[in-house]
């Protein structure tokens, strides 16, 4: 899978400028963060990654929005946020996402968006 030639990395923007930019994008890939939740307020497709926060609770909702939840290496069960959120020694719930796995999930999601 290759990103379109229009892909870009940008410096920090204020909330209004960031949301305006999000509305002009083809898709957004983002981890759980303020920009993700701002992106969730737009109609733009969003592919998001969650680790110590529960995606089922916090991920943007909509038919063109999806998320992946990283597995806790300690088998912690939580309703909102992992109790080890600020004290986890490994951060493996995010670090252990494999590139091939992420690329395959993203490609499947992207294909679904463009065949509907």
């Amino acid at each position: 899978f290759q990103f379109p030639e229009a892909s870009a990395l940008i410096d920090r923007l204020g909330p209004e400028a960031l949301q305006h930019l999000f509305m002009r994008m083809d898709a957004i890939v983002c981890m759980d963060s303020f920009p993700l939740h701002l992106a969730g307020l737009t109609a733009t497709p969003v592919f998001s990654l969650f680790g110590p926060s529960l995606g089922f609770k916090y991920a943007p909702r909509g038919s063109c929005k999806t998320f992946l939840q990283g597995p806790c290496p300690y088998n912690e069960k939580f309703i909102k946020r992992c109790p080890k959120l600020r004290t986890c020694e490994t951060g493996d719930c995010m670090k252990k996402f494999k590139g091939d796995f992420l690329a395959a999930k993203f490609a499947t999601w992207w294909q679904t968006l463009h065949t509907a």
Side-chain angles (χ1 to χ4, degrees):
F1 184 82
Q2 294 181 348
F3 286 100
E5 291 178 0
S7 296
L9 293 176
I10 58 169
D11 287 328
R12 271 182 207 235
L13 296 175
E16 292 95 8
L18 188 58
Q19 191 171 31
H20 180 74
L21 181 62
F22 285 161
M23 290 188 287
R24 299 183 67 203
M25 293 180 164
D26 293 326
I28 299 162
V29 178
C30 197
M31 63 181 283
D32 182 22
S33 61
F34 172 72
L36 169 65
H37 301 291
L38 194 59
L41 298 173
T42 70
T44 305
V46 178
F47 183 89
S48 55
L49 304 173
F50 283 80
S53 296
L54 193 61
F56 284 110
K57 175 95 174 144
Y58 296 110
R61 303 279 188 255
S63 61
C64 64
K65 295 171 173 49
T66 195
F67 73 92
L68 294 178
Q69 181 77 49
C72 177
Y74 307 108
N75 294 316
E76 290 284 347
K77 304 295 180 211
F78 49 94
I79 296 172
K80 292 182 179 180
R81 290 190 171 82
C82 179
K84 295 183 181 285
L85 176 64
R86 304 273 187 257
T87 60
C88 182
E89 294 179 18
T90 66
D92 281 351
C93 58
M94 292 296 285
K95 290 179 183 176
K96 294 289 182 167
F97 274 124
K98 301 290 184 198
D100 290 345
F101 171 78
L102 290 175
K105 292 291 187 180
F106 179 84
T108 300
W109 171 74
W110 187 255
Q111 287 278 15
T112 301
L113 287 177
H114 291 88
T115 57

